[in-house]
Structure formats: structure tokens, C-alpha cells
Amino acid sequence: MTSSSDPGAERLFASLPPNDDDAHARLHARLVEAAQREGVLDIGYRTIDSPVGPLLLAATEAGLVRVAYAREDHDGVLAGLAAAVSPRILNAPARLDAVARQLDEYFARTRQHFDLRLDLRLSKGFRRQVLAHLPEIGYGRTESYAQVATASGSPKAVRAVGTACATNPLPIVVPCHRVVRSDGSFGGYVGGPETKRALLDLEGVA
Amino acid sequence: MRPFEQIVADYGPVVLRVCRAVLGPVDAEDAWSETFLAALKAYPDLPGDANVEAWLVTIAHRKAIDATRARARGPVAVAAPPERPAATGRPEQWDGDLWAALRELPAKQRAAVAYHYLAGLPYKEIAAITGGSTDAARRAAADGIRRLRATYPLSTSDEGGTR
């Protein structure tokens, strides 16, 4: 980090540790708290481990705004949030406590639907209409892309339903995994087909 | 624009070292906190090509001036605060002698030394932050280092092997 050309002066500071991890952790926590208090923490995030791999969870003050699988590249997702919402982003685990707990319960099969405030700002127009319908598909049930298109008010927009599911910013919580092909096969999934199968297995879908 | 978390991770440690050098360990953490909170607020408006480190040091410099003024108005800080039980197990993992020697430097020299040798900023940037010319900043850093060498005991024992 030091770009000095004076080796004697360098030696003066050689005894200093370049990092003080304890202090840094303490100061980071203090920053999150102050930012939250002053309403300038636009996005707080954390990652959790889950049976379908590490999940990134991100929330605005309005609610949960993003759930991302590892294959979506968490760093890239955060960069996308910085561009689409705000770069005032900090690792703030406490903001996601309720989300993490409910996901744990979901994976432990003790929870069948989520009770969370959602911020759907990343999804617009028809896609948002589709996402609004998805929580109505009950736990352990499925609907076809065509059924979802009809329920969302545009029976012919089957492909658009596929796009809405593929770009769902809140997978698992907004259950796009319950949308399958009319022939009964699973179709694609933002978390990969094996993840979709794992979630449907978890919910007891034959 | 990088998420602010990245800015904290990349520059948090160096700004803490600078704050400690300029203000001493007692006030450094307050200055760091105020610096990064102010930076978080202003961050969305920061130009994409800005030198982030120089920007942070500029904010920290202003916070340090505020802290120094507040200290001058407020009660005089005791040289050695009463000992408290350590919360971390390592209450002071930096070199106390060095920070004491830094505290003896005039403010301009201390700032120039910290910003150049700890933050790695060029003298031109330092002059923009502290005011004055590039040459004056270079001179202040050189004078500060010379004085530190004279007053900081470890530097001589390192070279002479007298310990």
C-alpha cells in the first residue's frame, strides 16, 4: 500500500500491522448501525448456507429485494444492485435475520409460506404481475407456464412467463420453482434444474 | 460503481492507520466512523474516475481537524487513560512508542508523514488536502520523518542492533 521511495522511512512503520481485524470488525459494525440509524443504508446484505448452496440475501428499507444463488455470482449480483438501486450497500446481517430464519424453517420443512416484506422494484410490468401471482401457487403444488399466463391476465404470454421466472429476483421466496412445463417436465430454473428438482422434492412434489 | 462494502474493505484498514497516526489511538476510531459515514452519504455522487483513497483521506483530514478543535474546547484529555479490561484481548496491538513519537510532531508534519508513508499519497495530493504547495508538503514529510527518526527509539535499535 505504501508507495514511498524511502526505505529508511518504510522501516519506521514496519512494526505496524497493516490490518487490525478486531478494530475493523468493530468499526464496520458501528458503521452499519450509524448508517441504519441515519437512513443511508440503502441495501443491507448477508450470505447464508443452505441445502441448495450459499444464498445471497439483500434488503432495502422496503423489504427483501434480492435472493441469489451462487451460480448467479454474488459479487456480480451486488454490482448489479449498486447500478440498479444504489451503491450504498453494506454487509448488514441483522437486517436479514428474519429472512434467514424463515429460509432455515423452509428448508427444515417447518414453514410452508413466507411472511416477509418484499421489495419488487427489480421487476417491472408484466414480469411483476407474474411474480405477484406466484405466491398463490400453494406449497407442494405446481402450475404450468400456460396456467400462470392465464392467471396473470395474458393467456398468450407463455414465453413471457418463462422470462419472468428466469429473471425472478427473489427465487425460493417467490416460488417460481413451482412453475413447470405442461408435459410435467421441470423446465429451466434460475438456480439450475437440479436445484428446482431439490426444492420440489423438499415440498413433496411427486 | 462498486458497492460501498468494497470501499470499506479496500480502504478501511489504511484509513484507520492514518487516523491513528494523526489523532492517536483514542480519537482515531471516532474519526474513522465519522469519515466512513460521511463517505457513505456522499458516495453516490462521487465521480467514477475519482481517487477513492485521496477522497477518503480528505474527509478524514477534515474530521481530524474537527476532532482537534473539539478537543481544544473540551476537557483536556489525560495522557494515559485509566486502564480498562480489554474487550478484545489485544487492546493495543500497535506500537505505542511510535504513536507517542508521532504525537510529538507538529500537525502539518504528522499529516504529511501519515498521508505519504501510510496512505501512499503523492505530495501533490497531500498539498491539495492540507493546503499549501507540493514542495511544502514534501518538506513537511521530510522534516517529520527526520524528527521521528530522532525521537522514536526502535528505529535506532533496528539499525544498530543494540537491544
Side-chain angles (χ1 to χ4, degrees):
Chain A
M1 192 67 84
T2 308
S3 70
S4 155
S5 53
D6 178 349
E10 298 265 337
R11 229 179 4 252
L12 268 179
F13 299 107
S15 64
L16 299 181
N19 291 305
D20 182 343
D21 291 339
D22 290 344
H24 193 76
R26 182 168 67 239
L27 289 168
H28 186 283
R30 191 171 155 185
L31 174 63
V32 167
E33 198 182 298
Q36 188 113 291
R37 193 175 52 237
E38 301 209 11
V40 288
L41 179 54
D42 293 339
I43 297 179
Y45 74 90
R46 74 186 286 180
T47 53
I48 59 167
D49 284 325
S50 85
V52 291
L55 296 173
L56 174 78
L57 313 175
T60 63
E61 293 208 323
L64 184 65
V65 74
R66 193 74 168 85
V67 174
Y69 289 104
R71 79 203 294 261
E72 297 178 79
D73 175 22
H74 289 172
D75 285 343
V77 169
L78 288 173
L81 286 170
V85 181
S86 165
R88 286 179 182 148
I89 299 177
L90 287 173
N91 188 339
R95 183 178 279 195
L96 284 311
D97 274 353
V99 180
R101 191 176 57 246
Q102 293 195 19
L103 281 166
D104 276 350
E105 291 165 357
Y106 171 78
F107 286 115
R109 289 200 175 95
T110 57
R111 171 175 290 277
Q112 300 206 337
H113 48 85
F114 294 96
D115 181 18
L116 295 167
R117 287 188 307 141
L118 304 183
D119 181 344
L120 287 172
R121 78 174 77 192
L122 294 175
S123 187
K124 308 254 188 265
F126 181 68
R127 292 184 191 179
R128 188 155 171 170
Q129 262 169 267
V130 171
L131 298 187
H133 165 70
L134 296 184
E136 294 168 22
I137 310 174
Y139 183 91
R141 312 187 72 93
T142 60
E143 280 186 11
S144 69
Y145 290 96
Q147 283 173 305
V148 172
T150 302
S152 304
S154 303
K156 289 184 181 160
V158 178
R159 285 182 66 94
V161 168
T163 310
C165 290
T167 56
N168 176 9
L170 296 167
I172 306 178
V173 174
V174 172
C176 60
H177 58 275
R178 294 178 194 149
V179 184
V180 298
R181 291 202 180 121
S182 305
D183 64 9
S185 67
F186 284 162
Y189 185 59
V190 57
E194 64 292 340
T195 299
K196 187 171 190 172
R197 175 176 285 277
L199 293 176
L200 292 173
D201 283 351
L202 176 98
E203 296 185 11
V205 176
Chain B
M1 198 158 215
R2 287 179 286 171
F4 195 74
E5 178 69 26
Q6 195 71 48
I7 302 297
V8 180
D10 289 351
Y11 303 105
V14 70
V15 171
L16 181 58
R17 272 152 54 97
V18 167
C19 288
R20 282 173 170 174
V22 173
L23 286 168
V26 181
D27 291 327
E29 296 202 3
D30 286 345
W32 189 100
S33 296
E34 288 171 24
T35 296
F36 275 89
L37 184 61
L40 174 65
K41 288 178 184 168
Y43 185 55
D45 299 320
L46 185 70
D49 59 351
N51 177 344
V52 176
E53 191 166 9
W55 174 64
L56 289 169
V57 171
T58 305
I59 300 173
H61 181 74
R62 289 195 210 113
K63 297 297 176 192
I65 290 173
D66 292 349
T68 308
R69 282 194 190 131
R71 204 165 32 189
R73 280 196 304 269
V76 177
V78 290
E83 285 194 1
R84 279 173 298 182
T88 60
R90 292 182 302 175
E92 204 186 51
Q93 64 172 186
W94 59 80
D95 183 335
D97 288 342
L98 176 55
W99 303 102
L102 276 164
R103 203 161 44 224
E104 295 305 312
L105 297 183
K108 272 245 152 126
Q109 292 181 13
R110 205 181 331 142
V113 166
Y115 302 163
H116 184 68
Y117 291 101
L118 294 180
L121 297 183
Y123 293 117
K124 189 161 170 265
E125 296 273 8
I126 293 169
I129 293 169
T130 59
S133 68
T134 304
D135 279 345
R138 183 183 293 114
R139 239 178 357 255
D143 291 348
I145 283 291
R146 195 176 318 116
R147 197 147 155 187
L148 262 187
R149 280 215 182 95
T151 55
Y152 175 49
L154 281 184
S155 63
T156 50
S157 68
D158 276 350
E159 280 155 9
T162 49
R163 268 195 200 179

